[in-house]
Amino acid sequence: MLEFLDYPKLLGGFIFLLMGGELLVRGSLGLAQESRIPPVVVGLTVVAFGTSAPELMVSIISALSGHPGIAVGNVVGSNIANVLLVLGVPVLIYPIICDQKGLTKQASLMIGMTILFIGLCVFEPITMIDGIFLLLILFGFLFLTSRGAVVIPGLDNPEDELASDFRLPTYPLTITVMILLGIIMLPLGANLVVEGGAGLARTWSVPDRVIGLSLIALGTSLPELSTTVMAALYRSSDVAIGNVIGSNLFNILAILGVTAIVTDIPVDPTFIEFDLWIMLGTSIILWFFVLLKFTINKSTGILFLLGYVTYLFAIY
């Protein structure tokens, strides 16, 4: 009877995660604006890490609570969903043109980090040393981005986040309340998601990794999906594809890196046998589209979505 509570736990957890992440980012952006912090610093800290907070909390809490399959599955499943679902849906509205300046370098960077991730999984567990190494790579990229030597997609125009968003708080009390609520809601939501996901895994008699790869990865990818759909409605291809590449990079470097520092992450052999290669394959497909400057159109989007449905069917 109690297994029916897993569904509202999972749904409520996602709501708390989305609301908590939104409050934390907007409160932090408001603080940055009122403190006159340089926009590039805002982009490299608040916008970058704040928008990844839901995935980060889910991975940390799942690893600490004895569900490493959810932690790894969240990263792997999100990266697969980002390409097949998050790009597959918006191109049904408006095609995505893969010819933006510097996009080839960014996509190649994503491929390199994906291969590194696979290597770490093969020589599992992913340890604190591995986590520090991933974060050092991330901080190196962020430093180069701040100097203009490298561009990490999704961080190109932090000025727009500050200048165009009329909903940013301006009063100190409002800013403080939003940040505190975000900090409280994120771990609470993550805990509900992990409890609900683990409960559903037991009820459905599937491994934790399957829930992490599907339901939880899908839920934590909703912000990226909403961003790319809005970008399609406004016919802004660079925002859509940059959002996906940036998200995939941060999933590996930031989320996996921080989680590994908190606790060692064992990797289920099934990830190595199947899921990691699907993740690499989808990343290579996206890389080829960028390398050849192709347009991701409606027919390609349908193939992406069919591929995602087939993948979900395969893991269940």
Side-chain angles (χ1 to χ4, degrees):
M1 183 66 181
L2 291 178
E3 59 265 20
F4 289 106
L5 294 177
D6 294 327
Y7 295 95
K9 278 184 180 179
L10 193 64
L11 178 59
F14 282 136
I15 293 173
F16 270 63
L17 283 174
L18 294 174
M19 292 178 61
E22 182 76 5
L23 287 169
L24 180 61
V25 169
R26 294 201 175 280
S28 300
L29 284 173
L31 176 63
Q33 185 179 53
E34 295 303 307
S35 303
R36 301 188 184 280
I37 298 174
V40 68
V41 176
V42 176
L44 296 178
T45 54
V46 176
V47 176
F49 289 98
T51 53
S52 297
E55 292 96 326
L56 178 60
M57 292 307 305
V58 168
S59 291
I60 290 176
I61 289 179
S62 58
L64 286 174
S65 59
H67 300 287
I70 291 179
V72 179
N74 184 33
V75 172
V76 176
S78 291
N79 282 17
I80 294 172
N82 278 345
V83 177
L84 298 181
L85 179 68
V86 174
L87 287 181
V89 171
V91 295
L92 301 181
I93 303 171
Y94 189 77
I96 294 176
I97 304 171
C98 304
D99 64 349
Q100 290 80 26
K101 182 180 179 181
L103 201 58
T104 301
K105 182 186 295 184
Q106 297 158 5
S108 300
L109 178 62
M110 178 186 66
I111 293 293
M113 293 304 99
T114 300
I115 294 173
L116 173 62
F117 175 32
I118 292 174
L120 293 177
C121 290
V122 169
F123 297 99
E124 61 94 27
I126 303 173
T127 65
M128 177 186 292
I129 300 299
D130 299 325
I132 293 173
F133 179 60
L134 290 173
L135 289 181
L136 285 176
I137 294 175
L138 175 62
F139 292 144
F141 288 147
L142 294 180
F143 175 75
L144 292 174
T145 301
S146 68
R147 302 294 294 272
V150 173
V151 175
I152 293 184
L155 304 182
D156 307 53
N157 298 302
E159 293 91 344
D160 295 342
E161 295 283 348
L162 297 175
S164 65
D165 200 324
F166 60 87
R167 292 177 292 176
L168 293 182
T170 56
Y171 295 104
L173 179 60
T174 306
I175 291 172
T176 303
V177 169
M178 290 181 75
I179 292 175
L180 288 176
L181 283 176
I183 292 173
I184 293 170
M185 293 176 73
L186 280 169
L188 179 59
N191 189 60
L192 288 171
V193 165
V194 172
E195 285 188 4
L200 288 178
R202 290 190 297 270
T203 301
W204 297 350
S205 299
V206 297
D208 286 344
R209 56 169 277 276
V210 173
I211 298 298
L213 286 164
S214 54
L215 290 179
I216 294 178
L218 179 59
T220 54
S221 295
L222 289 177
E224 286 84 3
L225 178 59
S226 63
T227 299
T228 54
V229 168
M230 290 304 298
L233 291 172
Y234 285 97
R235 302 186 175 186
S236 182
S237 300
D238 55 338
V239 172
I241 197 165
N243 183 59
V244 165
I245 294 175
S247 176
N248 281 11
L249 282 170
F250 271 84
N251 281 345
I252 294 172
L253 296 176
I255 294 172
L256 197 70
V258 173
T259 304
I261 287 178
V262 174
T263 181
D264 289 353
I265 309 172
V267 180
D268 189 311
T270 311
F271 281 115
I272 302 169
E273 295 167 3
F274 182 65
D275 306 292
L276 289 171
W277 306 108
I278 299 297
M279 178 185 67
L280 177 61
T282 56
S283 298
I284 290 175
I285 289 172
L286 179 57
W287 179 68
F288 270 121
F289 270 92
V290 171
L291 190 66
L292 300 175
K293 302 187 185 302
F294 283 165
T295 296
I296 306 175
N297 54 28
K298 185 178 294 186
S299 59
T300 307
I302 293 173
L303 290 176
F304 278 9
L305 293 176
L306 287 175
Y308 188 62
V309 171
T310 302
Y311 170 70
L312 293 180
F313 179 78
I315 63 175
Y316 275 94

